[in-house]
Amino acid sequence: MNMTHYMELLADNQPWNLLIFMAIPIILAETLAITELYILFTRQFDGPIYHLNRFAGTTVGIYFIGIIVYLMTTAVIPITKSGEWRTVIDVIAVGSYLIGGLPLIWIALQEFGFVNRSLDQMGKLKIHAICVALFLVFGHIAMIAGMLDPALLGYQEAASHQMNH
């Protein structure tokens, strides 16, 4: 079966790529999502859960800046220049993964006070919740598209040259 570049990235260099590109950002984002729900229900804007939420939000946002820069320079631009995308399935998988990081970056920018300064605590909480939801939507699109076989839309892997002994 053929793989998208998204799945190939996660499968290569085991277990490091899986940890770097999936486990760490997902653990941070899920921590952000869970603590976000707690804050939404309790309206407690202080204490350990609130501070964990801020830590997870700033950390995952900064982390995704690194991921996006790295993948754009080492994967997206070279794959695009060489015309090696494996159908639109591949583009959707990789693109959704990268786009999914943007709302997390926005959360970090908000936590550092670079954006949404005029909003009150509830307004900022709403932006947080919207950004978490956007990350979850794009992240799941990336995972679903990433697991598809690009051959479904006609991709054929270049024939490999195998020597028979």
Side-chain angles (χ1 to χ4, degrees):
M1 182 172 110
N2 300 304
M3 283 196 280
T4 60
H5 283 98
Y6 175 88
M7 285 306 289
E8 193 173 296
L9 171 73
L10 297 177
D12 285 348
N13 193 29
Q14 285 291 320
W16 304 112
N17 283 10
L18 190 61
L19 290 169
I20 293 166
F21 297 105
M22 183 60 71
I24 291 171
I26 293 298
I27 289 167
L28 287 168
E30 294 295 340
T31 300
L32 179 65
I34 291 164
T35 57
E36 200 75 33
L37 289 172
Y38 176 84
I39 294 167
L40 279 168
F41 285 117
T42 65
R43 308 281 196 237
Q44 290 183 8
F45 297 105
D46 197 19
I49 302 297
Y50 175 74
H51 292 292
L52 178 60
N53 176 270
R54 290 196 64 187
F55 171 79
T58 55
T59 304
V60 74
I62 292 167
Y63 195 83
F64 251 102
I65 290 171
I67 285 176
I68 290 170
V69 168
Y70 176 78
L71 290 178
M72 288 298 294
T73 57
T74 63
V76 174
I77 293 170
I79 291 168
T80 302
K81 281 183 176 179
S82 62
E84 294 179 3
W85 288 107
R86 299 170 184 161
T87 75
V88 71
I89 292 170
D90 200 17
V91 175
I92 290 169
V94 173
S96 295
Y97 178 78
L98 296 173
I99 290 168
L102 298 178
L104 299 176
I105 293 169
W106 191 262
I107 287 173
L109 292 173
Q110 180 175 288
E111 290 299 338
F112 286 123
F114 296 131
V115 297
N116 303 329
R117 288 184 194 158
S118 63
L119 295 178
D120 64 2
Q121 203 70 333
M122 287 307 298
K124 289 179 181 179
L125 188 62
K126 287 178 186 176
I127 297 297
H128 254 240
I130 291 166
C131 287
V132 168
L134 287 170
F135 165 75
L136 291 172
V137 168
F138 283 106
H140 284 90
I141 291 169
M143 284 188 263
I144 292 166
M147 288 186 261
L148 288 173
D149 182 349
L152 290 170
L153 294 182
Y155 172 75
Q156 293 180 351
E157 190 169 11
S160 60
H161 301 299
Q162 296 180 358
M163 296 181 70
N164 294 327
H165 295 284

